[in-house]
Amino acid sequence: AVPSPCPLLGSPEGCSPRSPRCGRDVPSAHPRALPRCSELCCPVPKRCPVEMWDVCAVLVQACQLVPLDQEHLVSKVCQLIHHLLNRYQVMVDEQNLNFLLSYCISALRQCSSWTHVEILQALAALVYNNGPKCQKYLPDLLGTAGLLLQFSDPAQPDVELRRAAVRSMANLCLSVPGQPYLDESYRSVCFQTFLSVLQSSKTTDVDDITFCMLLQSALKGVQSLLNGGKMKLMQIDQIGALLAVLKKCMFHGLPGLSIEVPTALYPAPLPQYDKRSPVKQEQSEPATSKKKCKGKQKKGEFGEEGREDSRDAGDESVLGADMQKLHLGDVQGSPCPDPRPRVSDVCAGRDPPSCQPCKRFSSSESEYSDTEGGIQGKVRSYQANVRQGALACFLSTIKSIEKRVLYGYWSAFVPDAPGIGSPQSVSLMTIALKDPSPKTRACALQALSAFLEGSKQFLSVAEDANDHKRAFTPFSVTIASSIRELHRCLLLALVAESSSQTLTQIVKCLANLVSNAPYSRLKPGLLTRVWNQIKPYISHKDVNVRVSSLTLLGAIISVQAPLPEVQLLLQQPSSSGLSGSGSATPGREQWRKAVPWAGESPQGSPAGCEQWRKAVPWAGESPQGSPAGCAPPEPCWLLRLCVSLIVLPREDSCSDSDTAFPALGSVYEPCPLRLEALQVLALLVKGYFPMAQSYFLGLGEVACRCMEEMDPSIQLHGAKLLEELGTGVLQQHKPDSPTAPEQRVPVSLVVTFWTMMLNGPLPGTLQNSPHATLQTSACDALSSILPEAFSLLQGDQQILCVTLLLGLNHSENPLVKAAAARALGVYILFPCLRQDVMFVADTANAILNSLHDKSPNVRAKAAWSLGNLTDTLIINMETMGQSFQEELSDLLLLKLLRSATEASKDRDKVKSNAVRALGNVLHFLQPCHVANPRFREAIEESLQALIATVGSEATMKVRWNACYALGNVFKNPALPLGEAPWATQAFSALSSVVKSCKNFKVRIKSAMALSIPSRRECYGSTEQFCQIWSALVVALQRSEDTEDFLEFKYSSSLRSQLCQALLHLLQLARSTDLPLIGSSLREHGQAIRPYVLQYLSSPGQESEAGAHTDLAERERGLQGAIEHLSAIERELQGKARVRVSLYLEDLSPCRGARAVIHRSPAAAAP
């Protein structure tokens, strides 16, 4: 053979074919050189760049050199493929991949069984992330007689071969973004294979490490199917079988615990039976493997991880005696003192039994020799990897199952309070409390957190506020018991944990539980325990723990706010529950030095802060003008903590975890901590504003200081805090607010607040164009100003606000433009601005500009503002009269009409407010507009758009607004309602809706619209009038017919509105209408009589529109109808005498219910 350069190294620049790197020439034409090449490829020189090697070409050439009958060389070539592809992460192109896969498949069919493991390892490396390119080989690998199915069969005696096949199958299941995934048939085959592997038990001839690696491969495969293939688990038996094996693997090799899980789990409201095997003394350490691990099982082969944190072995905390309350079984180890004497606080003050404490194992305490100890440590590491893989797979399973199905297995994974004399069932919390690996504990907590996420509806049935005394335990009490046990176990894990990463997961899991639990239906005390236990962790050395602790506090104050229990917690003195963590909140002197409203004026503070300080009660004095008794002796503990974290400089040195979060010049706390404190502060203001209002101006100063900083994220959350403060004041000053006027924030204080904001950083923040999200939040904050306070601002400040918003309405960023359009829609309702015709015109033009934007969100906000603008037109028309109508430009009015008509054809979010605007504009039109030829076509188009929307299949909100808009149209006397063709279409559409719409609120609004015309001429001909009457009668009979149970709560309001509409028609009826009305009453009078009687006799109630009607008003309506009909009947003087009035007289309360009952139907009928 002719010598040639080494095909592996090639001849890169500066590297001759006979370079010492290669050692010697390799004859490429002779296959005996291949073993030497495979050996030489391992010590690759660092100075030779890997990207210069054509690895794929080398592998193809090597396969071409080795015939399949040279099995030793085939084994070597497969080792070479596996080594190079794994070591250098080479992506094989499709052409070379096809050749190499064909070679491996042929080798599996022709070579002896002793080579199959190496061939399958090469196959696994080839198909890794190349699944979409392997489609044509899938029948050979996964078909009916596929090679991978044969080698992974449970009957396969060689476990190493089975593991290699399962690993190849798992790699095939990996997905590639943007590429097609496995067909359903192949996915099903793979899933069943993985499931059978996980269901298998370890035999005596298999060593622990090999079996662990087999389980890991199967778990990786299932996880790939669930994640990459978007596999949805639908069949109950499939779900139950998977959950059973995952639960089994979650506890694989867990010291001190041995469970037998059934083949499948089934949905059950109560805990399922777990058969627990007794744990022998020698089982606490895994048995020595009988079969030594092969040399080719090297570190990093598949899913193998490096050495765990040293804390796994030696630095783990030891659980105290209170752990025995979990009844998790005895574990080998000597008793040790409880490192945290306050653990007993977690368990509600009950004294724990005197039991041997649970102990986490340390490899240094092994009774084996050093060699045996090393082997046992490796076994424990692999077993921990299996548990972690099972938990990761369970996390993917949670995301692949519908929540309503998943919560059927609640009792299998979530702890429940143990019954008398029975041990507690094993659950995810068992792992979180017992597993010696902090990474595994963190995985269990992450899975539990995902399990709890979105469980609010399921947990809402829980209730134990009242002690039940029944022979059985209701499901609501069972779930409440589970919630309480979750609190107890998580708090127990909290005080026993030493790993900061796992501690963070515990606190996050607690926050998820708090966010979903129905505390208003549970006995108080749960949140108090969580509150008191989490306080010390706010000053933890790890910044991630501190951030998650604040997140938990934020969850507590935001859940079902305001809760009485949380109100009491917020009123606690700052020192309560903070033993050993006195640095969590600043002292009062330190507070005064750092916070500008509590002491001297800082440099650069806005002018006029003296006016603020007179009103701020940080020093314990009641603010001037604030409600009496509102200011406590010192600020709320949580409020004070958050403000100190935001504005005070840090005292201690950086912890190790702080280096990932560089603070501003190392002066303040790390940025994530400050951001979380700002969010908690905003939640506190939102949920418990009466408690925060005493520090209203001080909190405004905090928002100012945040918006003055350079960090955009701090500025953003400062703006959000400002918005919550403004919204809190708005809610207090609403007409229906439950807060007494003397307890509200004084308007003068609100004026001072906004004056300082507008003289401070807010205008600059609004003009900070590089940060669109910040501008958006600033717009939202500016729109939260109290209208009464805005009217008292100085003129230049009012002009500044309006000018900024009008300018931002032309922003190129859709988020900013949408926020500005919405803010203009708020401002147009301000009494001091809506009467300014120039402002109305400028705002209208700005809104119309946004209404044609390409962004759907901008158009939706603009349509909402357009609805508010047209509401303003109606208000001004009613309050200012004709002067305002004359000043408003006809051209602008026509533009409003046309733009609203066009917007009514947009998507539903735009359409719902566009039809509302159409109704207002058509109501606003004057006779001169109706007669104007330029308006005539636009009016017709807008009316047709409204009629079409009423009868369309749009959302109920859109149809409700369309009915409301037609009612507004009917109020305009300038429109020819009785004679126009569109009027017949409008009445017909409303009559159809009132009879058959599924949504009762839409029916109510259509009945209201039908009762609006005040003159009989508006209803048109006798035929049309009687059609409307008949539609209302039919609707009254159907007022209880619905498929949606939620609609029943509106049935009473619907009947009241229908009865009111019927009486309204009777008050307007002509003599020509009476025959048809009388005929209708003969046929349906008895059916609708109970509803009319109920309407006339029920106490005063508020209708769906908000109008309050009392009994006297209804009686007046009935008497008016009787008098009107009696007058008509007298005029007829016996000609076709139809006594409709008799029917109404029988219904009158004045006649008494007894007369109604004894009157025969024939006498009552007209």
Side-chain angles (χ1 to χ4, degrees):
V2 179
S4 64
C6 174
L8 297 181
L9 299 180
S11 298
E13 184 178 353
C15 177
S16 66
R18 299 182 60 85
S19 169
R21 294 195 300 272
C22 303
R24 65 186 68 181
D25 294 336
V26 180
S28 61
H30 202 288
R32 291 179 182 176
L34 196 67
R36 188 169 297 157
C37 290
S38 65
E39 295 167 4
L40 293 174
C41 73
C42 297
V44 179
K46 292 184 179 180
R47 65 178 180 272
C48 187
V50 175
E51 58 268 20
M52 295 180 64
W53 298 5
D54 192 355
V55 177
C56 295
V58 167
L59 296 177
V60 170
Q61 185 180 2
C63 292
Q64 290 171 343
L65 289 172
V66 178
L68 295 178
D69 56 353
Q70 299 286 334
E71 294 184 349
H72 179 72
L73 295 182
V74 169
S75 173
K76 289 290 184 181
V77 121
C78 289
Q79 290 180 30
L80 184 64
I81 294 172
H82 175 257
H83 174 80
L84 289 180
L85 295 184
N86 275 357
R87 181 167 185 178
Y88 302 118
Q89 303 295 313
V90 177
M91 293 299 297
V92 186
D93 61 282
E94 190 166 357
Q95 181 179 355
N96 290 326
L97 180 67
N98 290 334
F99 176 82
L100 295 171
L101 283 176
S102 299
Y103 182 86
C104 290
I105 292 173
S106 300
L108 285 172
R109 286 177 173 159
Q110 298 182 32
C111 295
S112 302
S113 60
W114 69 268
T115 63
H116 287 173
V117 172
E118 284 79 10
I119 298 172
L120 286 172
Q121 287 178 350
L123 182 68
L126 285 169
V127 300
Y128 184 81
N129 272 340
N130 285 319
K133 301 177 186 176
C134 306
Q135 297 293 325
K136 64 181 180 181
Y137 299 101
L138 292 179
D140 295 326
L141 297 173
L142 301 175
T144 306
L147 294 170
L148 294 182
L149 293 184
Q150 295 177 24
F151 296 134
S152 62
D153 190 85
Q156 173 61 244
D158 188 349
V159 179
E160 193 63 41
L161 182 61
R162 188 183 182 196
R163 184 187 72 82
V166 172
R167 178 188 173 194
S168 299
M169 194 180 295
N171 284 3
L172 263 177
C173 294
L174 286 171
S175 66
V176 178
Q179 297 293 324
Y181 198 63
L182 292 176
D183 292 338
E184 180 63 35
S185 59
Y186 294 128
R187 273 185 279 178
S188 178
V189 166
C190 292
F191 181 79
Q192 290 302 325
T193 301
F194 298 143
L195 203 60
S196 65
V197 170
L198 295 173
Q199 289 172 338
S200 62
S201 301
K202 187 177 85 68
T203 56
T204 55
D205 60 335
V206 180
D207 65 273
D208 291 322
I209 292 179
T210 301
F211 187 68
C212 286
M213 295 175 72
L214 175 64
L215 294 179
Q216 273 187 272
S217 299
L219 289 169
K220 287 283 187 182
V222 174
Q223 189 175 2
S224 297
L225 284 173
L226 295 174
N227 290 347
K230 305 296 182 186
M231 185 176 177
K232 291 296 181 184
L233 300 171
M234 304 298 293
Q235 299 177 2
I236 294 298
D237 55 346
Q238 190 182 50
I239 296 173
L242 177 60
L243 292 178
V245 295
L246 290 181
K247 184 171 183 180
K248 174 185 172 184
C249 293
M250 287 177 194
F251 298 95
H252 180 75
L254 185 63
L257 190 69
S258 177
I259 65 169
E260 293 182 16
V261 181
T263 308
L265 297 178
Y266 298 97
L270 299 176
Q272 300 181 43
Y273 174 69
D274 288 326
K275 187 176 179 182
R276 311 266 292 274
S277 300
V279 183
K280 298 181 181 179
Q281 182 81 4
E282 59 270 19
Q283 286 179 336
S284 60
E285 293 285 345
T288 307
S289 60
K290 297 181 181 179
K291 183 178 179 182
K292 289 192 176 181
C293 186
K294 297 184 180 179
K296 54 183 166 283
Q297 293 174 349
K298 303 204 175 192
K299 180 180 176 182
E301 184 175 9
F302 179 79
E304 302 173 26
E305 300 181 8
R307 186 182 302 274
E308 294 194 10
D309 191 353
S310 60
R311 293 183 184 179
D312 289 15
D315 294 338
E316 293 299 323
S317 294
V318 183
L319 299 181
D322 286 344
M323 275 289 283
Q324 293 303 313
K325 290 192 177 184
L326 296 175
H327 304 284
L328 294 178
D330 297 332
V331 180
Q332 179 184 4
S334 59
C336 59
D338 185 357
R340 295 177 185 265
R342 291 181 59 84
V343 170
S344 58
D345 295 343
V346 181
C347 301
R350 294 177 294 179
D351 294 331
S354 177
C355 301
Q356 179 178 341
C358 177
K359 188 174 190 293
R360 289 178 184 154
F361 283 90
S362 170
S363 59
S364 61
E365 300 170 296
S366 172
E367 299 176 1
Y368 296 97
S369 64
D370 292 342
T371 303
E372 290 176 327
I375 294 175
Q376 296 308 315
K378 190 173 182 180
V379 170
R380 284 197 298 269
S381 176
Y382 274 85
Q383 289 173 340
N385 287 341
V386 171
R387 296 196 296 273
Q388 292 164 20
L391 289 166
C393 193
F394 181 59
L395 186 62
S396 300
T397 307
I398 291 172
K399 299 175 182 177
S400 304
I401 303 178
E402 292 184 26
K403 290 291 186 181
R404 61 183 181 85
V405 177
L406 177 66
Y407 291 134
Y409 302 91
W410 174 273
S411 59
F413 298 97
V414 179
D416 187 23
I420 299 175
S422 62
Q424 186 180 40
S425 59
V426 292
S427 66
L428 290 170
M429 280 309 308
T430 310
I431 306 171
L433 288 165
K434 281 202 65 167
D435 201 289
S437 166
K439 186 173 181 181
T440 310
R441 297 197 298 272
C443 288
L445 290 161
Q446 189 178 5
L448 179 59
S449 187
F451 201 84
L452 291 171
E453 188 175 353
S455 61
K456 182 175 291 186
Q457 185 175 1
F458 173 73
L459 296 181
S460 63
V461 302
E463 184 174 17
D464 69 347
N466 300 317
D467 294 329
H468 72 284
K469 297 179 180 178
R470 303 176 186 174
F472 65 94
T473 302
F475 180 64
S476 59
V477 176
T478 302
I479 296 299
S481 174
S482 182
I483 293 173
R484 289 189 170 278
E485 186 66 11
L486 263 177
H487 280 79
R488 190 183 73 85
C489 292
L490 284 171
L491 291 178
L492 195 58
L494 181 71
V495 297
E497 187 58 62
S498 62
S499 168
S500 296
Q501 291 80 7
T502 311
L503 198 58
T504 302
Q505 289 297 332
I506 294 173
V507 181
K508 287 182 178 179
C509 193
L510 267 171
N512 227 336
L513 174 61
V514 168
S515 299
N516 291 281
Y519 292 100
S520 59
R521 296 168 58 91
L522 303 175
K523 291 179 181 178
L526 288 177
L527 288 175
T528 302
R529 292 172 200 162
V530 176
W531 181 276
N532 292 332
Q533 285 299 124
I534 201 61
K535 275 187 174 182
Y537 293 92
I538 295 168
S539 56
H540 195 273
K541 63 180 180 180
D542 188 277
V543 68
N544 291 311
V545 176
R546 299 175 71 190
V547 171
S548 57
S549 300
L550 280 176
T551 304
L552 176 55
L553 289 173
I556 291 175
I557 61 174
S558 61
V559 61
Q560 302 165 22
L563 278 176
E565 183 179 358
V566 177
Q567 286 179 325
L568 292 175
L569 291 172
L570 291 172
Q571 292 169 0
Q572 286 180 354
S574 61
S575 58
S576 175
L578 275 175
S579 59
S581 60
S583 61
T585 53
R588 187 165 298 210
E589 289 302 322
Q590 182 186 6
W591 186 278
R592 288 198 184 109
K593 291 177 183 178
V595 184
W597 62 86
E600 297 297 328
S601 175
Q603 293 183 359
S605 61
C609 278
E610 289 300 325
Q611 186 180 5
W612 285 53
R613 292 190 198 98
K614 292 177 182 177
V616 179
W618 296 117
E621 299 176 1
S622 180
Q624 296 179 5
S626 66
C630 280
E634 61 180 16
C636 159
W637 169 81
L638 184 58
L639 186 148
R640 191 171 182 177
L641 167 70
C642 292
V643 174
S644 67
L645 292 174
I646 297 165
V647 302
L648 288 183
R650 62 190 308 172
E651 294 180 355
D652 53 345
S653 59
C654 261
S655 68
D656 294 339
S657 61
D658 289 352
T659 56
F661 309 110
L664 183 62
S666 299
V667 174
Y668 294 108
E669 296 286 355
C671 186
L673 193 63
R674 301 180 70 204
L675 291 176
E676 198 63 39
L678 274 168
Q679 293 184 62
V680 173
L681 200 56
L683 290 172
L684 178 62
V685 171
K686 180 179 181 179
Y688 298 88
F689 185 77
M691 187 168 293
Q693 75 178 70
S694 300
Y695 319 106
F696 181 63
L697 295 180
L699 292 173
E701 178 68 13
V702 173
C704 266
R705 291 183 61 167
C706 291
M707 288 190 289
E708 287 171 347
E709 292 195 17
M710 300 301 295
D711 189 340
S713 57
I714 297 291
Q715 291 178 305
L716 174 65
H717 285 83
K720 289 184 179 296
L721 174 60
L722 175 59
E723 180 187 359
E724 291 297 345
L725 288 167
T727 304
V729 174
L730 281 174
Q731 297 294 331
Q732 267 197 348
H733 285 262
K734 279 187 173 180
D736 56 349
S737 171
T739 307
E742 63 273 8
Q743 296 294 326
R744 300 174 184 174
V745 178
V747 176
S748 59
L749 208 63
V750 182
V751 173
T752 303
F753 177 89
W754 284 106
T755 299
M756 297 304 297
M757 291 297 160
L758 295 171
N759 289 337
L762 185 56
T765 304
L766 285 163
Q767 299 174 74
N768 193 350
S769 55
H771 302 288
T773 309
L774 178 58
Q775 282 184 293
T776 301
S777 291
C779 273
D780 293 337
L782 193 61
S783 67
S784 66
I785 186 171
L786 187 68
E788 293 87 343
F790 184 87
S791 62
L792 297 175
L793 291 176
Q794 296 180 4
D796 56 342
Q797 291 175 332
Q798 294 182 3
I799 293 173
L800 175 64
C801 294
V802 172
T803 304
L804 286 171
L805 293 178
L806 288 172
L808 290 173
N809 192 73
H810 296 282
S811 172
E812 295 181 359
N813 187 284
L815 290 175
V816 179
K817 193 169 185 177
R822 178 191 170 277
L824 287 172
V826 173
Y827 275 45
I828 197 64
L829 296 175
F830 287 1
C832 62
L833 291 178
R834 70 180 179 219
Q835 297 180 0
D836 185 345
V837 178
M838 294 302 297
F839 174 74
V840 172
D842 290 341
T843 302
N845 286 315
I847 291 172
L848 292 178
N849 171 267
S850 297
L851 198 60
H852 297 93
D853 194 86
K854 63 181 180 181
S855 167
N857 185 42
V858 173
R859 296 199 303 273
K861 300 293 185 184
W864 180 81
S865 296
L866 182 63
N868 287 2
L869 173 71
T870 54
D871 285 342
T872 296
L873 298 183
I874 302 302
I875 295 172
N876 288 342
M877 180 182 70
E878 295 172 351
T879 56
M880 300 175 63
Q882 195 171 356
S883 61
F884 179 82
Q885 295 170 305
E886 293 175 352
E887 291 183 31
L888 194 65
S889 167
D890 289 355
L891 181 60
L892 177 60
L893 202 58
L894 185 59
K895 285 173 62 179
L896 289 173
L897 193 60
R898 287 174 174 168
S899 296
T901 304
E902 188 66 26
S904 68
K905 303 171 186 176
D906 205 332
R907 59 182 62 193
D908 284 352
K909 286 188 176 181
V910 180
K911 186 185 296 184
S912 61
N913 285 296
V915 293
R916 175 166 70 101
L918 271 181
N920 286 331
V921 174
L922 290 170
H923 182 195
F924 183 82
L925 294 178
Q926 302 304 302
C928 61
H929 300 133
V930 177
N932 191 329
R934 290 193 304 171
F935 277 84
R936 194 169 300 154
E937 182 181 356
I939 292 173
E940 182 66 27
E941 289 180 3
S942 60
L943 286 167
Q944 291 301 328
L946 281 180
I947 294 167
T949 305
V950 168
S952 69
E953 296 298 324
T955 60
M956 296 307 168
K957 182 178 180 181
V958 173
R959 299 180 71 183
W960 187 95
N961 276 320
C963 293
Y964 171 81
L966 276 182
N968 268 340
V969 172
F970 293 165
K971 294 177 182 177
N972 190 346
L975 293 174
L977 187 56
E979 55 195 39
W982 58 262
T984 302
Q985 299 172 8
F987 285 126
S988 176
L990 291 171
S991 299
S992 175
V993 168
V994 82
K995 289 187 295 183
S996 59
C997 185
K998 295 179 180 179
N999 187 280
F1000 277 16
K1001 294 182 76 174
V1002 177
R1003 288 200 208 181
I1004 293 169
K1005 189 55 65 175
S1006 60
M1008 192 176 296
L1010 288 171
S1011 64
I1012 283 178
S1014 57
R1015 293 178 293 114
R1016 171 61 184 84
E1017 295 79 14
C1018 296
Y1019 285 99
S1021 65
T1022 298
E1023 181 183 3
Q1024 183 168 291
F1025 182 86
C1026 293
Q1027 285 176 353
I1028 297 171
W1029 167 272
S1030 299
L1032 292 171
V1033 170
V1034 172
L1036 189 57
Q1037 291 177 273
R1038 297 178 180 175
S1039 59
E1040 293 181 350
D1041 298 345
T1042 179
E1043 298 176 359
D1044 189 354
F1045 179 76
L1046 296 176
E1047 295 297 325
F1048 274 111
K1049 62 182 178 181
Y1050 302 112
S1051 59
S1052 177
S1053 298
L1054 173 60
R1055 288 192 292 271
S1056 296
Q1057 189 60 54
L1058 289 169
C1059 291
Q1060 184 179 344
L1062 287 171
L1063 288 179
H1064 175 75
L1065 292 182
L1066 290 176
Q1067 290 175 355
L1068 301 178
R1070 294 173 178 168
S1071 58
T1072 55
D1073 304 327
L1074 293 187
L1076 290 175
I1077 293 176
S1079 175
S1080 173
L1081 288 176
R1082 286 192 192 95
E1083 185 177 354
H1084 305 291
Q1086 290 301 315
I1088 66 174
R1089 180 189 297 273
Y1091 301 134
V1092 181
L1093 283 173
Q1094 183 183 14
Y1095 168 73
L1096 294 172
S1097 59
S1098 59
Q1101 59 181 348
E1102 190 172 339
S1103 68
E1104 194 267 346
H1108 190 83
T1109 57
D1110 55 14
L1111 285 173
E1113 184 176 347
R1114 299 178 199 179
E1115 178 65 22
R1116 285 194 296 271
L1118 178 62
Q1119 292 302 322
I1122 293 173
E1123 292 173 4
H1124 173 74
L1125 293 173
S1126 298
I1128 294 176
E1129 290 165 359
R1130 284 194 299 270
E1131 291 177 3
L1132 292 176
Q1133 295 178 355
K1135 298 177 182 177
R1137 184 176 179 83
V1138 181
R1139 298 299 305 277
V1140 178
S1141 58
L1142 287 179
Y1143 181 85
L1144 297 182
E1145 288 173 1
D1146 289 339
L1147 296 174
S1148 176
C1150 299
R1151 298 288 298 272
R1154 185 174 300 173
V1156 174
I1157 294 173
H1158 290 292
R1159 180 179 293 275
S1160 66

